[in-house]
Amino acid sequence: RVKSLRLLLLRESPFESNGTARTLATMVVKSQASKAPPTDMSVKVGGRVFQPALPVIDGAAPTVLEQGFQTSLNAFIQENIPLEPQEGIKTRERVLNRMGKLCREWIRYVCLQKGLPADSAGGQLFTSGSYRLGVHEPGADIDTILVAPGAVRREDFFGNAVATEDEANEAHRDPNSLAERIKRHPDVTNFVPVEGAAVPILTFDW
């Protein structure tokens, strides 16, 4: 069981470096004598191409000095940061695969409901945070970002309240919304939707 997942929905995915990435970029030491051609770091999402905010400093192979830095960093991590064992990593990968499938099925359903071609609905689940960097500790949560087509709205994510005749018109969430699909999954517990956030968020254990 993965202790916790955090799922955010984005209808657009700006691809730019944050302050941390910018700080780390300034720490990279490269030999000025061996410059390689610029590396293409663009990412295509939903037919749009996004470029990183900062160019690649140097695409050349690491120097002996840089390899020494990497060895020192690895030794520090092994001594001070307990990383996830291989069994835990495989469990997380299985959960992410199931999550990705569930999200793609939901996006396909939404597109069909809105009369859009479902074959090109798209949608992709990305990871971020410590898991994305490969430095997560055992039991740490997984931050994920779901990039969906622009036709997918907030009400599709959480589900509008719908009335049921058999329960005196008591309002219930749309069972086909992503939030309800995840909430009703047999392997999901501690489900908490954060509807007031600027970007829709779901947190839960899987």
Side-chain angles (χ1 to χ4, degrees), residues 1-5 187-191 203-206:
R1 173 175 292 277
V2 175
K3 181 178 180 182
S4 178
L5 288 99
D187 294 332
V188 170
T189 59
N190 299 325
F191 177 84
T203 64
F204 49 91
D205 294 349
W206 188 312

Side-chain angles (χ1 to χ4, degrees), residues 7-11 98-114 118 121-125 146-160 174-182 200 202:
L7 176 64
L8 293 82
L9 172 68
L10 291 181
R11 292 192 295 114
R98 293 169 185 168
M99 267 293 302
K101 180 181 179 181
L102 187 151
C103 290
R104 288 190 296 272
E105 290 175 348
W106 167 71
I107 291 174
R108 177 181 172 84
Y109 169 82
V110 172
C111 288
L112 287 174
Q113 290 297 108
K114 297 186 177 184
Q124 191 168 352
L125 191 67
L146 175 61
V147 179
V152 177
R153 316 303 296 180
R154 178 183 288 266
E155 52 267 25
D156 300 317
F157 188 77
F158 290 111
N160 288 326
D174 181 359
N176 288 309
S177 67
L178 181 61
E180 287 299 305
R181 289 179 184 228
I182 293 177
L202 303 175

Side-chain angles (χ1 to χ4, degrees), residues 18 30 34 37 73 89 98 106 114 116 128 131 144 153 157 168 190 198 203:
N18 56 24
K30 288 289 183 178
S34 58
L73 177 60
I89 293 175
R98 293 169 185 168
W106 167 71
K114 297 186 177 184
L116 301 174
S128 64
Y131 179 82
T144 60
R153 316 303 296 180
F157 188 77
N190 299 325
T203 64

Side-chain angles (χ1 to χ4, degrees), residues 115-134:
L116 301 174
D119 293 339
S120 58
Q124 191 168 352
L125 191 67
F126 294 93
T127 57
S128 64
S130 60
Y131 179 82
R132 179 69 178 86
L133 295 174

